[in-house]
Amino acid sequence: MLFDFDAMPHGNRYKLLVSCVVPRPIAWVVSRDAAGVLNAAPYSFFNVFGEDPAVVAISCGPRPEGSAKDTLANIQATGEFTVCLVPHALAEQMVVTAADFPPGVDELAEAGLATIPSTKIATPRIADSPVAMECTLWKIIPVGVHSMVMGEVKAMHVADEAVMNPERAYIDTPVLDLVGRMHGRGWYSTTRDRVEFPRITPAEWAARKKATE
Ligand SMILES: Cc1cc2nc3c(=O)[nH]c(=O)nc-3n(C[C@H](O)[C@H](O)[C@H](O)COP(=O)(O)O)c2cc1C
């Protein structure tokens, strides 16, 4: 079925996009307001866009009544944030931090999550998250009513048990046991079911075709 985005209410575009572009990684963003009150919220309009500089981006939509979400306001105020990744064991707490608490409420305290100081920024990271990236604000790009917040990763923490070779930066990714966002308001995927499709060279592809002739 064809969906014409020019002839469609934006709410339906949203439903189509988030139902089909799955699974999406989840940035569990920790930020601070000007008074130092901590904030945490998940963002699945999220990915990494380069390694030199190492840039990640999230997209913050408005609150239903149009105001900016705390994450965006805090990053604008302080110029920094921490992106933690969500393991299966903390998924329930991640959902708590997505509740629409008013500004000034520390979602980390609400969800019973401990934090650890960061090394290069003043915003801490979630202690039990197996991956945390300390980010400084790179740029904010308005995208309609959304704001694409790009951050430069200044330091990255990975749980010791997932690091196979620090010199070569080899990570045992399945050990992280991360979840991704699926469809609807409550569905997620685990990373426990994997399949490998090794990449091939043009020569290997030619040999494979020849073998089936
Ligand atoms: C898994 C998940 C992913 C989400 N992704 C986004 C997103 O990419 N952009 C967004 O604006 N809101 C997203 N939300 C909603 C925010 O987390 C929610 O509005 C939260 O209350 C914002 O908190 P804040 O005001 O403290 O930033 C997501 C919610 C969940 C549960």
Side-chain angles (χ1 to χ4, degrees):
M1 183 170 291
L2 172 68
F3 294 92
D4 178 354
F5 272 38
D6 291 327
M8 185 182 283
H10 72 89
N12 279 6
R13 290 186 209 144
Y14 176 85
K15 283 188 256 176
L16 285 172
L17 290 167
V18 300
S19 300
C20 298
V21 183
V22 291
R24 296 190 300 286
I26 302 168
W28 205 0
V29 181
V30 182
S31 59
R32 271 177 321 126
D33 70 14
V37 176
L38 290 181
N39 185 84
Y43 285 82
S44 64
F45 284 175
F46 160 62
N47 222 305
V48 54
F49 292 94
E51 81 295 336
D52 190 18
V55 167
V56 293
I58 60 166
S59 181
C60 293
R63 288 223 172 90
E65 85 293 353
S67 65
K69 293 187 180 177
D70 295 339
T71 297
L72 175 62
N74 289 352
I75 295 170
Q76 282 170 325
T78 64
E80 59 173 53
F81 57 104
T82 309
V83 171
C84 299
L85 301 182
V86 184
H88 191 277
L90 295 185
E92 298 276 8
Q93 285 96 320
M94 178 274 292
V95 170
V96 173
T97 65
D100 197 9
F101 295 111
V105 172
D106 177 351
E107 287 95 349
L108 292 157
E110 291 293 326
L113 292 160
T115 57
I116 299 181
S118 289
T119 58
K120 295 195 170 181
I121 61 174
T123 305
R125 61 191 168 101
I126 295 171
D128 290 329
S129 171
V131 180
M133 291 170 268
E134 299 181 19
C135 302
T136 53
L137 178 60
W138 177 265
K139 195 178 271 193
I140 297 179
I141 302 176
V143 182
V145 296
H146 288 251
S147 296
M148 190 160 100
V149 179
M150 304 175 81
E152 181 177 358
V153 181
K154 293 297 200 178
M156 183 161 169
H157 305 262
V158 182
D160 289 349
E161 63 270 23
V163 180
M164 294 191 293
N165 182 329
E167 285 73 38
R168 293 180 163 233
Y170 286 170
I171 300 299
D172 190 352
T173 302
V175 169
L176 302 174
D177 199 24
L178 301 177
V179 295
R181 192 173 191 194
M182 293 291 294
H183 53 291
R185 280 177 66 80
W187 284 96
Y188 297 86
S189 64
T190 70
T191 46
R192 294 176 177 179
D193 179 26
R194 295 176 298 275
V195 58
E196 187 178 19
F197 297 106
R199 288 183 64 164
I200 56 166
T201 64
E204 286 166 338
W205 176 240
R208 205 184 281 183
K209 281 207 296 191
K210 199 164 179 206
T212 59
E213 277 170 9

